[in-house]
Amino acid sequence: MGGPVMGPMGHVLKSKFASMFGGRKAVFFVAKFNRDDMQALRELLEAGRVTPVIDRRYPLSEVADAFRYLGEGHARGKVVITV
């Protein structure tokens, strides 16, 4: 994603640039994980109050197809690689 030269950063830069002219706002952040937050998230998941959205699942042998699908921009949830 983002091309062979820039890698994932190219995707971030392209999204940020497009947001300047496309009427949409792009915000990027890096989460800092801590034990208390992870425990709270675990409790919400176990209680069924938070449900992850999984778009597609691919076996490890089809990881190239999974990245191709992501690169096409069709994913509307998480794409999962099963090992």
Side-chain angles (χ1 to χ4, degrees):
M1 303 198 12
V5 176
M6 292 290 289
M9 192 57 167
H11 182 68
V12 170
L13 292 174
K14 184 170 59 172
S15 297
K16 190 65 172 172
F17 182 75
S19 75
M20 293 168 60
F21 302 103
R24 292 184 179 179
K25 183 177 181 183
V27 177
F28 299 95
F29 65 93
V30 177
K32 292 183 180 180
F33 299 102
N34 64 56
R35 183 175 295 278
D36 291 339
D37 289 346
M38 291 293 100
Q39 181 61 34
L41 182 58
R42 178 183 178 178
E43 291 169 4
L44 290 170
L45 287 164
E46 288 176 347
R49 296 185 64 202
V50 174
T51 305
V53 176
I54 298 174
D55 184 309
R56 291 194 180 179
R57 297 174 191 265
Y58 290 88
L60 184 59
S61 62
E62 296 177 15
V63 72
D65 293 332
F67 276 104
R68 192 172 304 110
Y69 180 72
L70 282 169
E72 293 170 353
H74 299 302
R76 296 293 174 246
K78 298 298 181 187
V79 175
V80 176
I81 307 297
T82 55
V83 180

